[in-house]
Every structure is written in C-alpha cells, then in structure tokens.
Amino acid sequence: MKAYKSINRYRIAILSILLLFIGSGCSLTRGLKGNESLVRKVTIKGMDKEFSELALNYVDKQQQPNNLVNLELYYIFNKKGKKNIGEPPAILDSNLVEFSRVQIEKFIQSKGYLKAKVSDTIIIKKKKAQLIFTTTQGPMFRIRKIADSIPDRTVRNLYRANRPVFSHLQPGGRFDTDSLAFDRDAFYQVMKRNGYYEFYRQYINFAYDSTYNSSVVDLTLIIDNPADRPSHPTFSINNTLITISTAGGRTTGVADTTVVDSQFTFVDYSHRFKPHPVVDYIFQTKGDLYNSDMQTITTSRLSELNVFRNVPNPTYIKTADSTNRLNTVISMIPLKQMSDRVEGEFLFSGGRYGYNIGNTFTNRNMFKQAVTLQVKLNMSILYDNGRNSINGSGVENQDFKVGASLIYPWIVTPFNLAKPGKYGVPHTTFSSNYSLYFQKGLVERTSLVNSVTYDFLEQANKVHSITPIDIEFSKGTLDPVAKEQLLKANRLSYVFLIGRTVFTTGSQYTYQVNGNQLNNYKDFTYFRGSLDVGGNMLSAVTNAFNTEKDSEGKRTLFGYSFYQYTKFEIDLRLYRSFGGERQFIFRVNPGLGVPYGNSSLLIFEKNFYAGGANDMRAWLPRTLGPGQFNRATTYGPAGTDAAPTIGDTLRTRLKYIDQFGEIKLITNAEYRFKVANNFFGAKLKGALFMDAGNVWRLHKQPDNPNGEFRFNNILNSSAMDIGAGLRFDVSFFVFRLDAAFKFKDPQFNGSEQWVLVKHANELFHDGAFKSRFYNENRESYNFMQLNFGIGMPF
C-alpha cells in the first residue's frame, strides 16, 4: 500500500507541473516599471477579412501580445537570471507602433489597394494596452490588360506556351504585387528547366500604368537579352566528376578512381564506396539540356542514400570551347559508417509500472554500396507491486524482440527495371525477426518471421510498400498448471489461441499518403492503409496434395497446421493549422481481421489490442476491451487476499491475454501548441487530447461476454479518455509526457461508465468505488495514466 500511495503523490506533483505550464493566473503586469504598459490586444479594423489576419504578422514582434504561459515562465526564471527562458513582456513602444502601421499600410497596398491608408490608436487601461489599426482601403485596382516585350523569339514562345500553366495574373484580376513576384519566379524556374543555365531573375521586369481614374492597371512583362548577346544561350551536360572525401573532409592521399559510362569519373578518398548506386542516382545524362530539376533531384536522392553527411548542389564549369557544355562537379563527405540509438518509454498505473526500451545498431554502407544493415533489440517489461497480483510482486509479463534487416537502396529483382528514384529512393528490405512473449504463470510464446519487402514512391507524397512473401513460425508453450486450470474451466479457446504451434505464409500491402508532411504546420490529410493476407498459398498446396488433417480437422504441412486470414487497418488523420505552431489533429484508426478456411481464430500476434501511449492513453497496453468485457462478470465472484477463488486465479493468469479483438476502432483528437521557445535548451510544446474507441470480438464468444461488436451497442461499448501533455523538442527527437484520465469506461453499465464524473473525488484517493472494484476484480482501479516516451503519439 505504501508504494501505491507514493505513486499517487508523484502523480499529483507531475499533474501540478502540467497545470503550471498549461494555465496561469498571476498578474501579467507585475514585471512592469513606471509608465510602462503591456500590449495585450491588437485589432485591425476596416480591412477585408481575407487580409486582416495576415496583416497581424506585420505588427512588430515586440508589439505582439504575449503567450500567457511564456510570459509566466519569463517572470519565474528571470528572477533567477535565466532571461532566455520564456518570453519577455511586450512593452508598448510608440516608435514600434508607427513602424507597424507603415508595414501594414504597405502590405494592404501590395494587395491591390494602391490608395489605402492606415491609422493607429492606442488605448491603455490598468497598464494594459490595446492597439487598433484602422484601414481606409479605397478602391481595389484590377488588371485591364497584359502584354509582353521579349525580343528573344525562343524565350517568347516558351513564355507564351507556359504562362497559362503558372501565371497568377489575369485580365480582370486583382493587381497584386505578390502575384508579380510569383510569376517572375515561376518563369525563372521554367527557363532553368529548359537549358538556360545563365538566366537570372534580373532579366525579368514588369512595367505597369495605373494613371487611369477607373482603378485599373495595364501590365507589361519585359524579359531583356544579355547585354552582350542577341539571345539567351542554352547549355547541355558534359562530363561529371564525383568526389568523395574522407569522413574528416580531406581529399589527400591516394584515391580509388573509376570511369563509368564515359561520363562519370568516380574518385573516392575514403575507399568505402563503389560507383553503384551513387552513379545511378545522378539524373543528368551526357548530352541532355541543363535542367535545374534534375540538379535538385540528384541532390535529394544522394542525400536519401543516408551515407553522406554533406551533399551540396552540383556545381557546373563551362567547357573552354564555345559549345555551351557544362562539366558537373559533385563533392560529398561520408557519414560515420556505424551508429547506435537507444530509445524508450516508461509508464505506471496503480500498482503496475513498466518500461519499453529499444536499441538500434546501424551499418550504413554494407558491401560498399550504401546497403544498410539494421539490428534492432526491444524489450518491454511490466511489473506488479503485489497489490494487483495473486502471484506476488515481480515481473508480470515481458516482450523481447530482436530483428535484422538488410536494406538495399534499389529494387532487387532478376528483371532489368527502369532507372528508379524520380520521386524518392526505392528500397528492398530482407528481414528476419524473432520475438518472445512471456507472461508469468501462463505462457511463453515465440515467433520467427522472415520477409522480403519493396518500398517505392508513386509521387513525392505517395508511398507503396509490398511484401510479396513472409514466412512465419509461431510456437506457444503453456504453463502446465495454467493449462490444467484452463481446461477445467472449459477455456479451450485460450489454450488453442496461445498454445498452438503454427506455420504460415502471407503477403502484405501498405499505401501511405502525405507521410512527408507530418512535420509541417499546414492543412493536409494523412492516410495509411494496410492489407495482410495469409495462408492462401499453403491452402492451395495442401489441398492439391491432400495433406493430413489434425485432430480439429485442419490441414497440416510438415506436421503443423496453418492459418488463413485477411486483415486490414486504416490510419486516417486530418491536420489543421491555426497559425504559428498551433495545430489540431483528428485521427480515425479502424481495423478488421477475419479468419477463414483453415482457421477459426486469428493468429495471436495478428489480433488487435487497445491501450498504451499511442492510442487509448488512459489505459495500459492490452488492458482495454473487448467491448464491455468485465473480469468480475467473466470469472465469477472474487475471494479474498488470503483465500483466492479459481476465478481469481484465472483472472490473474489471463490478464493481458484476454483483452483482444478482431475489430478495432480508435479515434483521437489532439490540439498542439507552443509553450516556450527556449526551455532549458528545448522548445516546450503542449497538447490537449481526447481518445475514444475500443476493440471487439468478431462474433459472440462465451469466453468474452459482451465483447462482440454490435452496431446498436458501439457507443455504449466504447471507451473515452481526456488528458494533457508536454513535448520537449530538442530538434532531433521529442521527449513526451502525457497525463491521461479515464472519462468513460465501457466495462461498467449505464451512468456508471462516466467514471471521472461520477467518482472525481476518488481521483487521487481511495474510496467506496475503488474498494468495490478491488473486491470484485482483485485489482486496483486507476483513473490516471502517465506516459513517458520519445516521439509523438501519432
């Protein structure tokens, strides 16, 4: 009991820290001196709503209202001499207000309101200032006609052919200087993609006449020729020099030198690389016109090989003759060949606590061809302090995984495929993974999976992943005492699920959209869908050869039965930006697994589970559902600590095993925002979230009463939690702390499901509800779950 109470005190302390950063109520003006006033509100009046929010960005940063939490952090730590933490108060400065007025006026004039004027008003009450910028927009100027003046006929034809594709300027449209700049840059890029290596933006200018009283503008685009030439020259690609220095950036000593395809000279001072695949990802062929897009793609693909620390854009040297050819120079510094990364998370709830720790070793350049070898180790252990365990304190369960992958940066097939990599480097992954799941007093289950996977990009934001074949061997060994008890209690499905030895094959396909946008603060939709089909090939083989059947009538191969199943899962997220680093994410994550043919159940590892740091955050992993499953109902009356019943023993042995399902539906809503730019060297961010969902059995099962999926019961059988979190962003990874609270628990009935509302007084203290739950379930009920982790939850 003492350990449980100490954890409660720890929870209260951490929750207090969260509340300190997320909410604040102290006086905001307590740090001001004399006649100083704090800017608390900025309003822009008289401006079209389309532009008023953007115009706020032109208010000087020192005159923009403070984030309350950032200001409180500054007040707290400024007293200790740490002025770089938090955000200093935005003190009213009339000079900066005038500067802001001028910038806002220029901004609205650039949007076509050429006669617009902006005035400012300052209102001060109780040392808090409000800035009001009032706009008199005047008429909006529109474009009456557009002409061009381009003496180079080839360039003129190129402009007129491409203008309908890129131009933001149209007769009748608003005269917008941002659109002028866009068109100028867009055609500059067109020229660079068509061989015009020496073309510069300065050649493009606009002339416009706005002297008409009717608020219209006549616009002329002008593209000048070079001063010493009658036209703009085009250039083609000649030879390419690739130089790889040592890891220290030196290019001294003897280098490995190879000439490839009469174009590429490959010089390697590190002696660690072969020309392939480096040469394969240089998208500039001898004789082709210079194309800046190919230059960019080349740089991107060489960087994606993940073996070079520095991949600058290629540089070009004109040949000494007058043929307008370019010799390409690419110089790169290799990364350290080997690296090791450790990551993990820690969680605790009630009397249970545990950790998940992983280690990844990487060799980036196997066989001197940028082939990556990854060896991953992962261990998860959950402990119990004895309050929730009839077996006494100690390890409740552990999950150990080790895997090795060999990743080739090209598609490995016996066929001669077209040159890959237009949108990204494809990969072929050969992997072998071993896992061991152990639960005290119940089962030891091992699994070995070998597979080949191809990943390639359809477009920059669309990724396909195909595993044509994986081979899996799984074996479960039940504790003899547990097996006897399960058989006596007629729990045959659990004996079959976790104690069976299985050999099967399968294929998987995954499609992902906008995975490359996940670190951006803009509006987009993320989608990831996966399909997993297993056992069909083995079914065809065993039926063709009429192999033997086991005692349950299932076909076998090499003496082992196999599974047939289809499983799919979708992860759909909507990302919406509210400006700056404020973002709202809504996620829907459904899944369905269906056994058929040679199977009546899914493989143990193929089932869905709910709970944990990445979905239902108020529940420990594997501790939610299925449906309205309740151990008190399933295993019968509870005994006492001194005299447990058979039901008590079963509920303890099957804990973390009995809460699975073939159907999953999880939804998450999370609002993310910045708290402080500099918090002890890290960017501090906050999050408010709500999770809802569950897992369900596909059919009604006597072992899982009320655990089956029914449309008319989906709301009643769904869980819900709410919470808040902090994210410490140190640029290369994110530390995460989330505090989640059970809000609706489906194992109860009626209004009793709304546990946080009904029993808020027992949030951090024992009471009648917790005592009743313990007496009925032989385990503690916990409202709050803390999750420590690395990386975002989704």
Side-chain angles (χ1 to χ4, degrees), residues 290-305:
Y290 164 79
N291 186 334
S292 60
D293 283 356
M294 296 301 102
Q295 170 185 318
T296 302
I297 291 175
T298 295
T299 301
S300 298
R301 301 302 164 264
L302 292 177
S303 297
E304 289 171 22
L305 290 176

Side-chain angles (χ1 to χ4, degrees), residues 31 131 136-137 167 173 184 198 208 222 286 331 354 408 433 446 510 517 555 564 623 714 735 740 744 749 768:
L131 308 183
T136 304
Q137 287 189 157
S167 182
R184 183 186 193 192
E198 290 188 332
Y208 59 91
I222 302 168
K286 192 172 185 175
S331 301
Y408 289 79
N433 296 278
T446 60
T510 300
Q517 303 293 329
R555 291 283 185 185
Q564 279 183 273
T623 62
I714 187 171
F735 289 107
K744 179 180 179 292
N749 293 307

Side-chain angles (χ1 to χ4, degrees), residues 563-684:
Y563 276 82
Q564 279 183 273
Y565 64 89
T566 296
K567 177 183 177 182
F568 82 88
E569 185 174 1
I570 290 173
D571 185 349
L572 177 65
R573 311 176 203 168
L574 303 178
Y575 288 78
R576 293 294 177 264
S577 174
F578 294 99
E581 296 184 30
R582 295 176 297 146
Q583 189 178 46
F584 175 77
I585 304 99
F586 179 73
R587 177 196 190 203
V588 180
N589 180 208
L592 172 66
V594 180
Y596 59 89
N598 210 51
S599 303
S600 56
L601 293 171
L602 285 178
I603 302 174
F604 174 71
E605 290 79 9
K606 298 293 182 180
N607 280 285
F608 294 108
Y609 300 88
N614 298 318
D615 49 51
M616 299 299 298
R617 284 168 274 191
W619 280 263
L620 284 166
R622 298 175 179 261
T623 62
L624 175 60
Q628 292 187 266
F629 173 75
N630 184 302
R631 287 195 176 90
T633 303
T634 304
Y635 301 117
T640 64
D641 290 338
T645 65
I646 293 177
D648 292 334
T649 305
L650 283 176
R651 82 179 85 232
T652 301
R653 291 193 188 282
L654 292 177
K655 190 166 54 178
Y656 313 117
I657 292 293
D658 53 11
Q659 297 183 266
F660 65 91
E662 296 92 347
I663 299 174
K664 175 178 78 167
L665 177 59
I666 303 293
T667 60
N668 312 91
E670 182 164 303
Y671 176 65
R672 298 171 183 171
F673 52 93
K674 183 176 67 176
V675 177
N677 277 317
N678 192 329
F679 183 74
F680 295 97
K683 182 178 288 188
L684 181 62

Side-chain angles (χ1 to χ4, degrees), residues 105-295:
E105 188 172 88
K106 289 181 178 178
F107 164 73
I108 192 60
Q109 288 174 354
S110 74
K111 294 302 178 182
Y113 297 94
L114 302 184
K115 298 180 179 180
K117 298 295 180 183
V118 176
S119 61
D120 62 79
T121 303
I122 302 174
I123 301 174
I124 301 175
K125 291 182 180 180
K126 297 181 180 180
K127 300 182 74 65
K128 295 181 181 179
Q130 178 183 3
L131 308 183
I132 301 174
F133 295 95
T134 303
T135 306
T136 304
Q137 287 189 157
M140 181 178 71
F141 281 70
R142 295 185 178 276
I143 299 172
R144 185 171 67 173
K145 61 180 181 180
I146 301 174
D148 61 61
S149 175
I150 308 172
D152 187 322
R153 180 182 299 176
T154 304
V155 174
R156 181 169 65 249
N157 292 338
L158 190 64
Y159 171 75
R160 292 178 178 177
N162 284 274
R163 185 184 177 281
V165 177
F166 67 77
S167 182
H168 285 185
L169 301 169
Q170 301 297 335
R174 183 178 66 243
F175 177 70
D176 186 335
T177 57
D178 287 343
S179 296
L180 299 183
F182 177 88
D183 273 34
R184 183 186 193 192
D185 188 68
F187 187 64
Y188 168 77
Q189 298 298 336
V190 169
M191 294 290 283
K192 287 294 187 177
R193 287 193 291 268
N194 285 273
Y196 291 93
Y197 170 71
E198 290 188 332
F199 188 84
Y200 303 104
R201 287 181 178 84
Q202 290 85 337
Y203 289 125
I204 306 174
N205 293 287
F206 288 94
Y208 59 91
D209 185 352
S210 59
T211 60
Y212 301 93
N213 294 327
S214 53
S215 302
V216 294
V217 172
D218 290 340
L219 189 65
T220 303
L221 175 133
I222 302 168
I223 300 179
D224 295 320
N225 282 336
D228 56 345
R229 294 188 181 185
S231 62
H232 291 273
T234 59
F235 289 78
S236 62
I237 299 298
N238 191 39
N239 294 323
T240 302
L241 172 64
I242 305 162
T243 302
I244 300 176
S245 68
T246 64
R250 294 186 297 274
T251 54
T252 57
V254 179
D256 296 334
T257 303
T258 308
V259 177
V260 182
D261 296 337
S262 75
Q263 175 186 347
F264 305 99
T265 301
F266 187 84
V267 181
D268 180 15
Y269 288 92
S270 71
H271 308 288
R272 287 168 42 189
F273 297 89
K274 293 181 179 179
H276 172 72
V278 175
V279 167
D280 288 351
Y281 290 110
I282 296 177
F283 290 81
Q284 300 178 120
T285 304
K286 192 172 185 175
D288 288 350
L289 280 178
Y290 164 79
N291 186 334
S292 60
D293 283 356
M294 296 301 102
Q295 170 185 318

Side-chain angles (χ1 to χ4, degrees), residues 354-387:
Y355 63 83
N356 176 40
I357 187 168
N359 185 86
T360 302
F361 167 79
T362 303
N363 185 326
R364 294 186 176 89
N365 191 29
M366 296 288 291
F367 318 126
K368 294 187 175 183
Q369 296 192 80
V371 176
T372 300
L373 171 67
Q374 278 193 344
V375 179
K376 294 186 176 182
L377 299 171
N378 184 274
M379 176 172 282
S380 300
I381 297 182
L382 186 65
Y383 296 91
D384 198 299
N385 67 4
R387 180 181 172 94

